[in-house]
């Protein structure tokens, strides 16, 4: 009863507080023409300290209305790119909470004013065309904050724990600095290595493709992009920071960031080293080589390559202990008057060490069997990456663009595992160990070339693009494994492997495409395209068994050696109609494609050939209806094909893992996929309101899946086959609203996904249906100028159903609750803390986990002008961090536990190589 009284009292206080708020409204007109001024930004500021209260934007009629204002003294600021700023003081009080300011006049900048002094002020958010522009100084960030921390404050922008950025419900794929790439196309290089106080404006827009920029018609291939515009003083000299720290458990961190910008010239040097799992870039950037190093996964005891994917909820993104160090140089400039030059080099070393314990239950048509494994994997990966770019404008009608890149990678990986399998009755069927070491090198060369030509008639264009790729990898491996098999009679036998192998793989690819566009009437465009591609791939392996007589690996193992090469090529031709109307734009196209796949297997000095040909018609449709600016509905339908890989086609058994034998299938057909998406986007960045709804459907014909045969000894043989009946559906909805009395906003959303797959077990089809759904909630608030707080929750229900073994259908839950708190204390002290509580329910015995992860830090600005900072940080205060995961996938159910970074303390020192930190730098 007391809880009910408390709830009623809380709601009453909230209702009364909310009711005692007012609004201000009015209209803005041009002083000369007496016409309404649309798209003007109207900002309400506290008159006392000019802090932000709320903001909005005028419509086509020039009207505006800003509500939910508490009693107080305010100043209204109206701004527009073509007009001088307009400022007016007003008050909200008990006797006047509905204030109508009437018509206010703005002065056109093109009109010469005499004896008038205009003070320049900027609003927090404005819009220029379709670009949303955030003025960085209007958003408070802690001292020494990165751009990533600034982005978390911007209305309509979300940044997750891993640094991935979403805006308007879409992933941001590129972050530019003054319109140019910063260390390639990895967004985290800019967001995690540049300081927030160097940014003047954050521009958010849809970056159109080169083809769209050439024709002037949007082809639907845009990319959500952020452009960071630097402050003027940062473009005239150097800035950056140096940081170093050390702590308990031998934890260390170091970082350097030096920048020099002047005009078109951009020069940046970054470096970092740590063993605290701190990221400064994307790990995928370091592992983007396609050399055939995948055999390591099939060399693990009990694991095959098709079993490495997983879905579920993990209690920590910091699985394993990672040692990371690297550094690089970024240089961009204008060569002459017609060539934009971009370049960057980056070297990194990535060394994760992972301990994993897992329990897996395999589902057979009439029984089950269990698998347990304890493994340790230590991988040391080093890579060099160099990217260059030349964009040359020959004249106003002709230009070309070339982007060469080179990457070199060296990897050493060691895997040690012990495992055992048992039947549903608990009887042990086999056990063993596997020690595997692999050293590999890879080289990746790539060049993109684009020639563009415009004609005098608007919309008539011609372009030709070419892409060449060369990829080569070499590796050597040692494997020692032993498997003991136990028969029902009590007898047993042992199968051991002690061998050395050499692997070599290479890939050469050349792709060309030509596009001609011809305008139809004033709002339509006809596009003709032709393309041709050829890709040659080869994979060779030589295996040698250990010779007990010579004590060397000199016995050639023919059954594990192979040499296989494929050539895949296609020719296509297409036509597409694109049209733009007042509220709707659409495109309809059809592509004819002829593809051929040639393969050759060389074994025992003999060769066997395979050849396949595919002919397809690939339709595509796109339509977008725009209700008003920033509110639109988009429909996309596309089709595509996917050819089998070399490994899937290669008809030579890989028995390097005695428990999991993999053999390719040369009779595989290519996959044919249908993709349908429906997206609604509604955003008002000025009022911090947004609604996003996404729905995607996918169906794949001739889907390549695994057919497993499991023998009485527990050995599984896998062969890929084609099947139909595979589809998926995904939905996501997100609603964002302001919470003005808390000076914050709330995001409420939900996601769902359904996947229907198929696999074959001992000749019988097993249909797997997986459902995931759950709500999420996030509240951001800054109740005072000294405090900001974020709380969030995420709840997921997961269900997996099997057609063969319905008794083992699984249901499990995962919950994540998070809170982040920042407090600016007196005497330049700053307190920051974050807490994450993860609950995994209904997992296997010993794997259910309730993980509280609490991190905290306190910092003090020191030295003259507060150019330095001393910070004490404690990770995992409760020493409870644990990594657990559930996988319901294909023909098994798996629970796993991975080592994570536990409690440690770190004392760090940061020195800023720039001007003194001021209050404006942190706002």
């Amino acid at each position: 009863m007391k809880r009910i009284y408390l709830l009623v009292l809380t709601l009453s206080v909230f209702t009364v507080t909310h009711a005692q708020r007012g609004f201000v409204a009015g209209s803005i007109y041009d002083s000369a023409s007496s016409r309404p001024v649309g798209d003007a930004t109207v900002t309400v500021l506290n008159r006392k300290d000019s802090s932000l209260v709320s903001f909005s934007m005028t419509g086509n009629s020039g009207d505006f209305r800003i509500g939910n204002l508490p009693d107080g003294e305010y100043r209204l600021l109206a701004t527009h790119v073509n007009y001088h700023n307009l400022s007016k003081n007003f008050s909200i009080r008990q006797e006047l909470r509905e204030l109508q300011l009437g018509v206010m006049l703005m002065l056109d900048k093109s009109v010469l004013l005499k004896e008038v002094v205009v003070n320049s002020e900027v609003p927090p958010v404005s819009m220029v065309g379709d670009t949303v522009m955030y003025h960085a100084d209007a958003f408070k960030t802690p001292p020494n904050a990165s751009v990533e921390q600034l982005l978390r404050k911007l209305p309509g922008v979300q940044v997750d724990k891993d640094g991935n950025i979403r805006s308007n419900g879409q992933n941001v794929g590129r972050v530019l600095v003054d319109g140019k790439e910063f260390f390639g196309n990895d967004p985290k290089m800019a967001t995690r290595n540049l300081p927030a106080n160097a940014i003047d404006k954050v521009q958010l827009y849809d970056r159109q493709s080169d083809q769209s920029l050439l024709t002037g018609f949007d082809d639907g291939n845009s990319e959500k992009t952020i452009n960071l515009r630097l402050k003027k003083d940062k473009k005239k000299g150097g800035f950056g920071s140096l940081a170093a720290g050390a702590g308990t458990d031998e934890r260390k961190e170091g970082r350097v960031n030096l920048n020099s910008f002047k005009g078109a010239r951009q020069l940046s040097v970054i470096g970092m080293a740590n063993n605290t799992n701190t990221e400064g870039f994307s790990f995928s950037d370091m592992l983007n080589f396609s050399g055939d190093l995948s055999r390591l996964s099939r060399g693990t005891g009990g694991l095959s390559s098709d079993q490495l994917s997983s879905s579920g909820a993990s209690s920590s993104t910091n699985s394993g202990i990672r040692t990371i160090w690297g550094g690089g140089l970024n240089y961009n400039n204008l060569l002459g008057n017609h060539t934009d030059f971009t370049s960057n080099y980056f070297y990194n070393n990535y060394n994760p060490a992972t301990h994993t314990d897992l329990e897996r239950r395999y589902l057979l048509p009439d029984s089950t069997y269990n698998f347990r494994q304890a493994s340790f994997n230590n991988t040391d990966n080093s890579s060099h990456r160099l990217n260059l770019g030349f964009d040359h404008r020959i004249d106003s009608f002709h230009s070309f663009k070339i982007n060469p890149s080179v990457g070199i990678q060296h990897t050493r990986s060691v895997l040690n595992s012990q495992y055992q399998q048992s039947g549903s009755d608990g009887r042990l069927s086999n056990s063993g160990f596997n020690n595997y070491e692999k050293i590999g090198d890879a080289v990746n060369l790539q060049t993109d070339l684009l020639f563009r030509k415009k004609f005098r008639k608007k919309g008539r264009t011609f372009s030709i693009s070419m892409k060449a790729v060369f990829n080569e990898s070499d590796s050597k491996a040692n494997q020692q494994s032993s498997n003991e098999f136990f028969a029902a009679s009590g007898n047993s036998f042992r199968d051991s492997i002690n061998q050395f192998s050499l692997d070599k793989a290479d890939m050469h690819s050349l792709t060309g495409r030509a596009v001609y566009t011809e305008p139809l009437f004033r709002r339509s465009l006809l596009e003709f395209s032709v393309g041709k591609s050829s890709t040659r791939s080869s994979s060779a392996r030589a295996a040698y068994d250990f010779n007990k007589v010579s004590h060397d690996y000199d016995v050639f193992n023919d059954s594990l050696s192979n040499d296989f090469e494929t050539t895949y090529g296609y020719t296509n031709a297409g036509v597409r109609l694109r049209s733009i109307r007042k509220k709707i734009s659409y495109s309809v196209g059809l592509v004819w494609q002829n593809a051929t796949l040639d393969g050759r297997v060389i074994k025992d000095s003999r060769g066997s050939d395979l050849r396949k040909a595919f002919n397809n018609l690939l339709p595509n449709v796109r339509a977008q209806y725009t209700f008003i600016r920033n509110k639109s509905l988009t429909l996309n339908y596309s089709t595509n094909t996917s050819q089998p890989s070399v490994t899937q086609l290669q008809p030579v058994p890989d028995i390097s893992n005695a428990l999991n034998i993999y053999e390719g299938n040369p009779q595989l057909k290519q996959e044919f996929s249908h993709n349908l998406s429906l997206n609604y986007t509604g955003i008002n960045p000025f009022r911090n309101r947004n609604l996003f709804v996404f729905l995607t459907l996918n169906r794949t014909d001739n889907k390549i899946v695994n057919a497993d045969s499991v023998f009485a000894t527990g050995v599984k043989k896998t062969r890929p086959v084609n099947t139909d009946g595979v589809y998926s559906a995904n939905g996501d909805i997100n609603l964002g609203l302001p919470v003005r009395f808390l000076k914050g906003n709330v995001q409420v959303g939900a996601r769902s996904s359904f996947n229907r797959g198929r696999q074959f077990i001992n000749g019988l089809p097993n249909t797997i249906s997986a459902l995931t759904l759950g709500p999420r909630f996030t509240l951001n608030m800054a109740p005072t100028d000294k405090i900001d707080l974020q709380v969030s929750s995420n709840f997921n229900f997961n269900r997996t159903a099997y057609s063969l073994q319905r008794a083992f259908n699984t249901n499990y839950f995962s919950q994540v609750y998070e809170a982040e708190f920042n407090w600016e204390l007196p005497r330049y002290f700053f307190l920051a803390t974050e807490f994450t509580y993860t609950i995994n329910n209904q997992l296997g015995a010993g794997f259910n986990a309730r993980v509280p992860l609490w991190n905290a830090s306190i910092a003090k600005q020191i030295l003259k002008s507060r150019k330095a900072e001393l910070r004490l940080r404690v990770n995992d205060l409760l020493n409870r961090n644990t990594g657990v995961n559930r996988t319901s996938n294909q023909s098994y159910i798996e629970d796993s536990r991975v080592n994570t970074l536990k409690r440690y303390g770190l004392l760090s020192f940061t020195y800023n190589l720039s001007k003194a930190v001021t209050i404006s730098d942190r706002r």
Side-chain angles (χ1 to χ4, degrees):
M1 185 63 69
K2 290 183 179 180
R3 293 182 179 179
I4 297 178
Y5 289 149
L6 181 60
L7 178 61
V8 173
L9 179 61
T10 303
L11 292 175
S12 300
V13 172
F14 173 80
T15 303
V16 172
T17 303
H18 190 75
Q20 292 179 348
R21 293 174 178 267
F23 71 86
V24 60
S27 302
I28 298 179
Y29 277 70
D30 187 303
S31 61
S33 64
S34 298
R35 293 180 179 178
V37 177
D39 294 339
T41 302
V42 182
T43 307
V44 174
L45 307 169
N46 274 317
R47 195 186 307 179
K48 180 180 179 181
D49 57 7
S50 294
S51 61
L52 173 66
V53 177
S54 185
F55 45 89
S56 183
M57 188 177 183
T58 60
N60 294 331
S61 62
D63 297 334
F64 68 89
R65 185 182 188 279
I66 300 178
N68 203 20
L69 299 175
D71 293 354
E73 302 292 324
Y74 300 101
R75 183 163 64 93
L76 183 140
L77 174 66
T79 60
H80 192 282
V81 66
N82 296 324
Y83 293 86
H84 292 289
N85 294 353
L86 171 67
S87 180
K88 185 177 183 66
N89 294 334
F90 69 94
S91 302
I92 298 294
R93 52 186 184 273
Q94 183 176 357
E95 61 273 16
L96 185 61
R97 291 205 174 96
E98 298 181 0
L99 183 60
Q100 295 285 349
L101 298 180
V103 174
M104 296 182 292
L105 302 179
M106 296 188 75
L107 302 176
D108 194 323
K109 285 185 177 179
S110 63
V111 178
L112 182 63
L113 299 179
K114 297 181 179 180
E115 298 180 359
V116 175
V117 178
V118 179
N119 294 320
S120 177
E121 297 183 79
V122 294
V125 184
S126 59
M127 180 167 281
V128 179
D130 293 329
T131 299
V132 180
M133 189 153 55
Y134 302 91
H135 299 267
D137 285 349
F139 301 92
K140 181 180 177 182
T141 56
N144 298 312
S146 64
V147 170
E148 181 177 301
Q149 292 170 280
L150 170 64
L151 296 181
R152 296 179 190 273
K153 304 290 183 180
L154 306 184
V157 178
Q158 300 86 38
V159 184
D160 65 19
K161 293 290 185 182
D162 295 325
N164 302 308
I165 310 168
R166 291 176 65 86
S167 175
N168 304 350
Q170 300 178 34
N171 291 323
V172 174
R174 193 179 298 265
V175 175
L176 308 176
V177 178
D178 280 340
K180 297 183 179 180
E181 288 188 349
F182 188 79
F183 284 95
N185 57 5
D186 178 9
K188 297 179 187 178
M189 296 295 289
T191 60
R192 291 187 164 177
N193 292 284
L194 287 177
N197 61 14
I199 307 304
D200 179 34
K201 297 180 180 66
V202 178
Q203 297 175 319
L204 180 64
Y205 63 100
D206 291 321
R207 185 175 185 265
Q208 294 185 345
S209 66
D210 289 329
Q211 186 65 31
S212 297
L213 294 174
L214 179 65
T215 62
F217 280 71
D218 186 2
D219 62 2
N221 294 321
S222 61
E223 181 180 37
K224 188 67 69 176
T225 301
I226 285 177
N227 181 39
L228 304 173
R229 288 181 53 180
L230 298 174
K231 294 178 178 178
K232 289 184 179 180
D233 63 315
K234 302 299 182 183
K235 300 180 182 181
K236 298 179 180 179
F239 67 95
S241 63
L242 302 172
T248 62
D249 200 23
E250 299 184 353
R251 299 297 157 201
K252 298 176 183 178
E253 283 187 354
R255 182 185 294 271
V256 58
N257 176 9
L258 305 175
N259 303 276
S260 177
F261 293 82
K262 185 176 181 180
R265 190 205 70 194
Q266 298 180 348
L267 176 63
S268 296
V269 177
I270 63 172
M272 65 174 299
N274 70 79
N275 58 358
T276 59
N277 290 8
T278 301
E279 299 180 24
F281 36 79
S282 297
F283 291 136
S284 59
D285 240 18
M286 297 180 281
L287 304 172
N288 59 353
F289 297 94
S290 58
D292 186 15
L293 304 179
S294 61
R295 295 187 189 275
L296 174 61
S297 63
R298 288 199 300 276
T300 64
L303 287 177
S304 62
S305 59
D306 61 281
Q307 297 163 340
L308 295 179
S309 61
S310 65
S311 61
S314 175
S315 66
S316 173
T317 58
N318 290 332
S319 297
I321 308 297
R322 300 192 289 265
T323 300
I324 306 163
W325 60 281
L329 173 73
N330 186 84
Y331 179 75
N332 302 324
N333 208 344
L334 182 64
L335 304 181
N337 296 321
H338 303 286
T339 304
D340 285 321
F341 173 70
T342 61
S343 64
N344 60 82
Y345 165 79
F346 194 73
Y347 168 79
N348 58 74
N349 181 269
Y350 171 55
N351 179 208
T354 307
H355 294 266
T356 305
D357 294 298
L358 65 85
E359 293 185 1
R360 183 184 298 156
R361 172 170 289 184
Y362 285 94
L363 309 180
L364 302 180
D366 55 357
S367 63
T368 64
Y369 69 95
N370 302 311
F371 174 81
R372 292 184 178 183
Q373 177 178 267
S375 63
F376 171 72
N377 192 357
N378 190 339
T379 300
D380 192 335
N381 184 89
S382 298
S383 65
H384 301 261
R385 184 192 65 198
L386 175 65
N387 297 319
L388 301 175
F390 301 86
D391 193 346
H392 180 69
R393 296 173 296 281
I394 302 173
D395 52 41
S396 57
F397 294 100
H398 303 83
S399 65
F400 71 85
K401 186 177 182 180
I402 182 170
N403 296 95
S405 65
V406 58
I408 301 173
Q409 177 174 292
H410 176 78
T411 302
R412 178 180 180 272
S413 187
V414 176
L415 176 71
N416 300 314
S417 64
Q418 293 182 330
Y419 46 88
Q420 63 179 24
Q421 288 185 182
S422 59
S424 57
D425 58 359
R427 185 183 63 82
L428 189 64
S429 58
N430 64 68
S431 65
F433 70 89
N434 187 33
N435 298 326
Y436 195 93
E437 179 179 1
K438 190 165 191 174
I439 299 175
D441 294 280
V443 177
N444 185 17
L445 303 175
Q446 179 174 307
T447 299
D448 294 274
L449 177 65
L450 173 65
F451 172 78
R452 298 162 290 195
K453 176 179 174 57
K454 284 185 177 181
F455 295 85
R456 295 190 180 276
K457 186 174 182 179
K458 183 180 179 181
R460 180 180 292 170
T461 68
F462 173 76
S463 65
I464 183 168
S465 61
M466 298 190 69
K467 182 174 185 176
V469 178
F470 169 77
N471 194 341
E472 183 177 274
S473 66
D474 294 277
S475 64
K476 56 184 179 181
N478 282 95
Q479 180 182 8
Q480 295 181 4
S481 65
S482 177
N483 295 280
E484 188 171 5
F485 299 90
F486 304 92
S489 60
N491 297 325
S492 65
F493 67 93
R494 186 181 299 272
D495 182 17
S496 299
I497 295 177
N498 185 3
Q499 67 180 213
F500 171 79
S501 61
L502 295 172
D503 291 271
K504 180 178 177 62
D506 62 64
M507 186 271 287
H508 306 255
S509 176
L510 182 63
T511 302
R513 186 169 185 259
V515 179
Y516 174 79
T517 62
E518 180 67 25
L520 289 180
F521 311 109
R522 189 167 62 92
R523 298 179 178 270
S524 299
L525 194 72
L526 200 59
E527 176 188 283
F528 302 91
S529 64
V530 294
K532 189 172 181 60
S533 177
S534 178
T535 301
R536 177 190 171 275
S537 302
S538 67
S539 174
R541 188 185 198 204
Y544 299 88
D545 291 329
F546 183 75
N547 189 336
K548 295 181 180 180
V549 177
S550 65
H551 299 283
D552 198 2
Y553 295 94
D554 55 13
V555 179
F556 184 72
N557 189 320
D558 180 68
S559 63
L560 292 181
S561 302
N562 59 76
D563 192 348
F564 186 70
E565 65 179 34
T566 62
T567 301
Y568 176 78
Y570 67 79
T571 302
N572 60 33
V575 61
R576 179 164 55 173
L577 173 66
R578 288 187 272 161
S579 184
I580 300 177
R581 296 293 184 261
K582 185 175 182 180
K583 286 184 174 293
I584 189 171
S585 62
Y586 63 88
S587 67
V588 180
L590 183 67
V591 175
W592 167 81
Q593 178 178 281
N594 170 260
T596 58
L597 178 65
D598 296 301
R600 180 173 177 81
V601 180
I602 303 173
K603 191 173 179 62
D604 295 333
S605 301
R606 301 184 303 273
S608 61
D609 297 330
L610 63 94
R611 179 177 176 83
K612 292 182 175 295
F614 311 96
N615 285 284
N616 294 289
L617 291 176
L618 306 175
N620 60 84
V621 177
R622 182 180 186 271
Q624 182 178 48
Y625 183 82
T626 303
F627 302 92
I628 58 175
R629 176 180 291 180
N630 289 325
K631 290 186 178 180
S632 62
L633 183 68
T634 303
L635 172 71
N636 271 297
Y637 169 73
S638 64
T639 55
N640 64 278
T641 61
S642 179
Q643 73 274 12
S645 67
V646 174
T647 303
Q648 291 170 329
L649 290 167
Q650 193 169 10
V652 178
D654 180 358
I655 57 175
S656 57
N657 182 349
L659 296 183
N660 291 283
I661 301 172
Y662 187 89
E663 180 180 7
N665 179 5
Q667 303 304 318
L668 288 175
K669 304 175 183 178
Q670 66 175 186
E671 298 178 344
F672 190 99
S673 297
H674 304 261
N675 310 288
L676 178 67
S677 66
L678 183 66
N679 305 333
Y680 171 79
T681 300
I683 177 175
N684 186 333
F686 306 95
R687 295 186 178 180
N688 202 8
R689 296 179 180 176
N690 54 71
L691 174 63
F692 311 114
V693 182
F694 296 90
L695 176 65
T696 61
L697 301 173
N698 174 273
R699 192 191 80 188
T700 303
D701 300 326
N702 291 323
K703 179 70 176 178
I704 299 175
V705 301
N706 288 332
D708 294 335
S709 299
V710 181
F711 304 99
T713 57
V715 175
K716 178 167 68 72
K717 183 177 180 179
T718 300
R719 189 170 188 261
V721 297
N722 293 108
T723 188
D724 293 327
V726 175
Y727 59 84
S728 64
N730 295 275
D732 192 286
I733 183 171
N734 189 86
L735 174 65
L737 296 170
V739 185
R740 302 198 188 282
F741 74 98
L742 291 175
K743 295 185 179 180
N745 63 83
V746 62
Q747 301 282 337
V748 181
R751 66 175 293 266
S752 63
S753 65
F754 177 80
N755 295 277
R756 186 179 187 272
R758 178 170 293 177
Q759 191 180 17
F760 295 86
I761 303 176
N762 290 347
L764 297 177
N766 184 25
T767 301
I768 307 104
S769 300
L771 172 68
T772 300
L773 54 89
R776 61 180 180 270
F777 170 85
T778 301
L779 174 63
N780 292 281
M781 58 185 123
T784 73
D785 293 337
K786 308 288 187 182
I787 294 176
D788 64 88
L789 174 68
Q790 175 179 295
V791 294
S792 64
S793 63
N794 195 335
F795 180 88
N796 279 311
F797 167 76
N798 303 271
R799 174 179 174 80
T800 304
Y802 303 91
S803 62
L804 284 181
Q805 288 277 16
R806 300 182 185 275
F808 291 96
N809 292 349
T810 63
N811 301 317
Y812 63 96
F813 299 89
S814 62
Q815 305 168 60
V816 180
Y817 303 94
E818 296 178 293
E820 183 177 340
F821 178 76
N822 296 285
W823 187 10
E824 182 179 344
L825 299 168
R827 298 184 180 275
Y828 310 113
F829 280 93
F830 296 85
L831 175 67
T833 185
E834 58 183 20
F835 182 78
T836 301
Y837 188 51
T838 304
I839 303 174
N840 289 318
N841 294 334
Q842 300 183 15
L843 303 190
F847 289 91
N848 282 308
R850 295 174 179 265
V851 182
L853 181 59
W854 184 13
N855 303 324
S857 68
I858 186 166
K860 164 71 173 174
Q861 290 184 331
I862 57 175
L863 301 185
K864 185 179 179 179
S865 302
R866 305 187 302 281
K867 297 187 70 172
E869 177 189 89
L870 198 62
R871 179 183 295 270
L872 176 63
R873 185 177 87 237
V874 180
N875 180 77
D876 189 17
L877 274 162
L878 304 178
N879 205 29
R880 295 279 304 277
N881 194 16
T882 304
V884 294
N885 194 48
R886 156 147 293 194
T887 301
S888 298
N889 190 9
Q890 302 178 20
S891 60
Y892 62 83
I893 304 168
E894 177 187 288
D895 294 313
S896 64
R897 178 183 290 108
V898 182
N899 66 315
T900 56
L901 193 63
K902 294 284 190 177
R903 180 171 55 199
Y904 69 89
L906 189 88
L907 182 64
S908 62
F909 175 80
T910 302
Y911 185 79
N912 290 295
L913 303 171
S914 58
K915 68 174 186 176
V917 179
T918 63
I919 295 298
S920 62
D921 288 327
R922 294 185 278 112
R923 294 180 60 86

